Amino acid sequence: MPTGKGANQMGGEANGGASAVRAPANTGAADGGANRLGPRASMLMSLALGLLLGALSVLVMFPAAEHLRSLRDGERAQATLHTSGACMAGQCEVKFEAGGRTVVADLPVGSGGGKRSVGAAMTVRYQADDPQVVAREDDVGGGGAALLAWMSGGVAVLFLVIAGAAALYLARQRRTRNR
């Protein structure tokens, strides 16, 4: 250990034996709290996610479920899956006969059957005056789209409640600071 006046002061003898080097305050996080979101950022992110999921539910999925239900009384036809993909997102096509001609039409958003391979047989319902408006018979109850609408709506409410709780926390924190 070094000797001399500077060494004694650094070693803590000059200030009553206390160490001159202090440990950082315990923040409760291993990284010093650097990766934690503050309440304001949490509130804004929860609000944005809640509004986005709410818009998805109200503007996309509920109308998709209603559209599927509107085809309940449509014309019935045997079809094959022409193009497979993400049917729930409206990326599948079916091929069927309607009015003596072959029709290839997109399945609407909220359709099921995405795990089927091209050429798989299925029954569809379509509008008699416009065979391009079609849905799988299994989907005309609105099931998948309605379920997704309710789920995204429920998660939207959850995120909005979290945003509200964060807003209350911030308001109480501000009121306590101003006293």
Side-chain angles (χ1 to χ4, degrees), residues 4-47:
K5 185 177 176 183
N8 287 339
Q9 286 177 348
M10 301 257 330
E13 291 176 21
N15 58 10
S19 175
V21 178
R22 303 225 186 266
N26 185 3
T27 60
D31 62 358
N35 290 332
R36 287 185 21 195
L37 287 178
R40 182 168 287 130
S42 172
M43 178 189 69
L44 292 175
M45 284 180 58
S46 295
L47 183 63

Side-chain angles (χ1 to χ4, degrees), residues 39 42-43 45-47 155-168:
S42 172
M43 178 189 69
M45 284 180 58
S46 295
L47 183 63
V155 174
V157 168
L158 174 71
F159 276 115
L160 292 174
V161 166
I162 290 170
L168 284 173

